[in-house]
Amino acid sequence: MTDSRELDALWEDFHRVVNMTSKELADWLRTRDAGELAEPLPDQAGPPLGKQVLAVLQKRRTDLTDGDVRVMSLVVEMVSGQTDMADEPEAERTQRRHTLMSIGHDPLKP
């Protein structure tokens, strides 16, 4: 695992970019996977990365694993690499927003 200062900074960055609560993310993952004919069990809803983000949100910093640290780094990198969506067509903005929401970041949330 990384040293304590690096982990502190990553923890802060992760919680800055993941601006949805664990409840909001869990609800979103269930909504995204809901289908006309069937939907998965609530704890199985959503893409693997979204489920991993949800698991990290439900942990204390002292309980993080090396896998959690990798997930946090990936999410910070993914969200930080996004540019302003203002110039995109509506359909692309909506699709990108929904993709980001699946990892806990709602670009429209203040």
Side-chain angles (χ1 to χ4, degrees), residues 9-25:
L10 178 59
W11 180 259
E12 292 294 322
D13 288 345
F14 177 78
H15 285 282
R16 177 182 45 80
V17 301
V18 175
N19 61 0
M20 295 170 69
T21 65
S22 58
K23 180 180 180 344
E24 289 170 331
L25 179 55

Side-chain angles (χ1 to χ4, degrees), residues 37-110:
L37 302 177
E39 57 187 77
L41 296 171
D43 62 337
Q44 296 173 352
L49 184 56
K51 291 187 277 190
Q52 291 170 322
V53 169
L54 183 58
V56 171
L57 285 174
Q58 296 169 337
K59 289 185 176 187
R60 295 175 302 173
R61 186 186 153 320
T62 56
D63 295 332
L64 296 175
T65 66
D66 289 340
D68 296 331
V69 171
R70 283 190 294 276
V71 166
M72 291 167 55
S73 295
L74 177 61
V75 169
V76 168
E77 183 179 313
M78 289 173 69
V79 173
S80 298
Q82 295 298 314
T83 58
D84 183 25
M85 296 187 288
D87 296 332
E88 291 181 354
E90 181 65 32
E92 288 180 30
R93 277 197 312 255
T94 300
Q95 182 177 352
R96 182 153 42 141
R97 177 179 181 230
H98 290 175
T99 298
L100 287 169
M101 287 174 68
S102 292
I103 59 170
H105 178 77
D106 183 351
L108 299 182
K109 191 173 181 180

